[in-house]
Amino acid sequence: MLILGIESSCDETSVAVVKDGREVLSNVINSQIAIHERFGGVVPEIASRNHVEAISTVTKKALEKAGVKIEQIDAIACTYGPGLVGALLVGVSYAKALSFALDRPLIGTNHIQGHIAANYISHKELKPPFLCLIISGGHTHLVHIKDYNSFEVLGKTRDDAIGEAFDKVARVIGLGYPGGPKVDKLAKEGEPNIILPKTHFDNLDFSFSGIKTSVINLHHKTPDVNKADLCASFEKTVTDILIDNTLKAAKQLNINTVALAGGVSANSYIRRRFLELKDTNNLKVYYPEPILCTDNAAMIGSAAYYNFLNNEISDLELNAIPNLKLN
Ligand code: KG4
Ligand code: ZN
């Protein structure tokens, strides 16, 4: 089954052709990072306009790269939430038009479910049940993946998403946008020798605003603090928090498979620390290849395949839902 996946929830216009949920024939990503860089973050209205300008060209390229004619596509999938409403509406409207014109099923897909599914593309052997830690610019969710379409959110952030904290720390210490990859790089030159506060809850929720504020205050009060040490300490502290909750959940549910997903799962330090859990805690850890960590349409095509198998088909009333939940 060939699915055309469309992703436009934030600042990437992406279209992919995915076969049977796991094989990517093409995955074209048109990033707007350079456009938003000078504003220090994504400007929603500018993002929507650029999606409108890019989406037809990106779709044509995706079909060309896959060597597939549009008539060969069996279903059209799009992200319908969560995300920026104007940005989502571009992908949703485009997908609806294609579905109507080609008379193919429309499969509205949850963006977070897409991030989880990125692991199915990178790891053909991965099957539910497992734990998934979705760490991105908009989300920090610890989820029990009971089946392809059955999720239980075990914990989530009570304030900032982890990616937001990375981006804010980077901006304050002058590394620019998007900050995650820049903090990742600079941290390699530093030592995690600065103690930062960790917030813990009785349940499996997360909090990152305290640590973010403390890095910002430290930078302002002691301007000569070593930035590389600050980045390394920030990374170590947030990773400790992620690992504490993941181990708690693994023990509670007696599950020993964990998948990472989302933009922040591209972080080299986080990956390394999680991989070490194989030896120390007998946890099998998966993460997608870097291009599938950040927003892309292949993950939407993959998730949509499992929605289709589960009879979750949308109609032309499908609308963008900016705060769409996972279940
Ligand atoms: O998944 P994503 O592309 O978009 C959302 O759905 O939010 O995630 C973007 C986030 C940004 O906050 C970016 O700074 C972060 O992922 N990110 C990283 C790295 N690469 C991207 N954070 C830490 N280390 C990285 N290497
Ligand atoms: Zn995302």
Side-chain angles (χ1 to χ4, degrees):
M1 179 180 188
L2 291 181
I3 295 185
L4 186 84
I6 299 174
E7 157 62 37
S8 70
S9 66
C10 191
D11 61 343
E12 262 96 31
T13 320
S14 179
V15 180
V17 179
V18 180
K19 188 177 171 188
D20 297 336
R22 299 230 181 195
E23 191 185 336
V24 179
L25 303 190
S26 66
N27 184 26
V28 179
I29 305 170
N30 182 66
S31 174
Q32 301 177 12
I33 284 180
I35 297 166
H36 298 280
E37 205 166 9
R38 64 194 165 109
F39 303 107
V42 178
V43 183
E45 179 59 21
I46 295 177
S48 314
R49 285 165 193 245
N50 279 281
H51 285 308
V52 173
E53 283 182 17
I55 197 153
S56 300
T57 320
V58 174
T59 305
K60 272 187 200 137
K61 273 193 201 160
L63 289 165
E64 262 168 40
K65 278 201 164 177
V68 162
K69 293 207 168 55
I70 189 112
E71 300 77 30
Q72 292 172 266
I73 295 291
D74 297 303
I76 312 291
C78 65
T79 303
Y80 73 107
L84 302 169
V85 68
L88 287 166
L89 276 171
V90 178
V92 169
S93 309
Y94 197 77
K96 284 204 266 190
L98 282 180
S99 153
F100 181 69
L102 298 165
D103 194 20
R104 296 289 190 278
L106 175 70
I107 311 169
T109 300
N110 186 309
H111 181 80
I112 304 174
Q113 193 197 341
H115 275 302
I116 298 164
N119 280 288
Y120 299 138
I121 299 170
S122 294
H123 308 287
K124 308 297 182 215
E125 74 283 13
L126 179 65
K127 288 190 179 83
F130 58 92
L131 290 173
C132 188
L133 188 60
I134 299 118
I135 41 178
S136 75
H139 318 281
T140 312
H141 279 45
L142 182 56
V143 182
H144 178 195
I145 316 296
K146 297 176 174 174
D147 205 339
Y148 289 102
N149 294 78
S150 174
F151 312 102
E152 185 189 356
V153 179
L154 304 169
K156 56 186 177 189
T157 181
R158 294 195 183 181
D159 40 58
D160 296 340
I162 185 169
E164 252 178 292
F166 265 95
D167 292 338
K168 188 69 197 272
V169 164
R171 192 185 324 163
V172 167
I173 64 174
L175 300 182
Y177 170 87
K182 292 176 174 153
V183 171
D184 190 349
K185 196 164 168 231
L186 188 57
K188 290 194 172 94
E189 295 164 27
E191 288 299 324
N193 52 14
I194 302 167
I195 308 278
L196 295 167
K198 279 187 215 169
T199 311
H200 281 292
F201 300 107
D202 289 340
N203 63 7
L204 295 167
D205 281 347
F206 301 91
S207 166
F208 297 104
S209 74
I211 165 173
K212 176 193 75 180
T213 309
S214 125
V215 171
I216 294 169
N217 288 344
L218 204 73
H219 175 71
H220 288 317
K221 285 187 193 138
T222 31
D224 56 348
V225 66
N226 183 297
K227 286 183 189 179
D229 290 348
L230 202 51
C231 288
S233 307
F234 170 77
E235 273 191 354
K236 181 183 182 307
T237 312
V238 295
T239 308
D240 286 348
I241 295 171
L242 295 177
I243 287 179
D244 283 353
N245 275 6
T246 305
L247 289 179
K248 244 200 258 175
K251 199 169 166 199
Q252 275 174 20
L253 295 165
N254 198 17
I255 291 181
N256 67 351
T257 306
V258 177
L260 305 180
V264 180
S265 67
N267 183 277
S268 52
Y269 177 81
I270 295 178
R271 285 175 174 226
R272 182 161 58 75
R273 288 279 311 276
F274 269 85
L275 277 185
E276 285 167 10
L277 298 178
K278 179 157 180 32
D279 296 331
T280 54
N281 297 76
N282 198 26
L283 271 197
K284 198 161 172 47
V285 175
Y286 291 94
Y287 41 74
E289 55 206 276
I291 194 68
L292 295 174
C293 288
T294 50
D295 291 349
N296 68 89
M299 67 184 200
I300 301 304
S302 173
Y305 175 74
Y306 295 103
N307 287 345
F308 182 83
L309 294 184
N310 204 34
N311 256 326
E312 293 177 35
I313 315 283
S314 315
D315 59 28
L316 293 177
E317 299 291 308
L318 183 72
N319 204 353
I321 305 183
N323 58 355
L324 183 69
K325 302 280 178 287
L326 189 57
N327 51 3

